[in-house]
Amino acid sequence: MKLYIVRHGETDHNANRIAQGHANISLNALGKKQAQLLGELLEVVNLDIVYSSDLKRAKQTTEAIMKYQQCKVVYTKKLREANYGILDGKSYDEINAYFATLLLKYPKKHTMDCQHRKEKRA
């Protein structure tokens, strides 16, 4: 048995370094081209079944692959990207600043957690 794992094509969020998590973002022009090329590349492979996230970017990538395949597709929430909660839609710089603020606000808590982890490993 062979297992092929592929990632969806690029989105504007990817290009702009924004966490997308469960946001239902479409592929951008480059992402559509990447998906098309992936479909062409996989044309020589006989896939038995395709499992895909149910989010738009993954579906668009899967649809491009399926132009060259004749198998069943299963879309599932179980393959979604991580849910970043309040950090979904934030830039990586905003996320870094958020965590830096938390470290400043709770420095002893962070230090104790790190020390506790070190002790557990020892």
Side-chain angles (χ1 to χ4, degrees), residues 7-121:
R7 185 178 187 274
H8 61 77
E10 184 182 76
T11 67
D12 285 339
H13 274 39
N14 295 139
N16 294 310
R17 299 179 38 81
I18 296 172
Q20 54 196 352
H22 281 199
N24 209 12
I25 307 296
S26 294
L27 298 178
N28 62 19
L30 176 58
K32 290 175 184 174
K33 181 67 175 171
Q34 291 168 335
Q36 175 191 339
L37 291 172
L38 177 60
E40 292 171 7
L41 180 68
L42 291 174
E43 182 177 15
V44 298
V45 177
N46 262 341
L47 299 176
D48 295 319
I49 191 164
V50 172
Y51 293 93
S52 173
S53 165
D54 64 338
L55 293 176
K56 194 180 298 185
R57 58 190 176 270
K59 281 185 170 182
Q60 289 173 310
T61 302
T62 300
E63 289 165 3
I65 293 168
M66 294 310 297
K67 289 179 182 175
Y68 302 92
Q69 298 294 322
Q70 300 294 319
C71 65
K72 180 179 177 181
V73 178
V74 177
Y75 293 102
T76 176
K77 291 179 181 181
K78 294 178 181 179
L79 291 174
R80 284 185 177 184
E81 206 167 318
N83 183 344
Y84 301 117
I86 63 169
L87 300 177
D88 264 358
K90 304 288 187 208
S91 72
Y92 295 166
D93 289 339
E94 289 173 306
I95 293 169
N96 288 334
Y98 173 79
F99 283 110
T101 301
L102 286 180
L103 289 176
L104 290 173
K105 190 172 181 179
Y106 304 105
K108 291 183 181 184
K109 171 77 173 128
H110 174 71
T111 304
M112 289 187 314
D113 286 348
C114 290
Q115 185 62 37
H116 177 69
R117 284 190 208 116
K118 286 180 189 175
E119 290 169 1
K120 283 180 89 173
R121 281 187 253 159

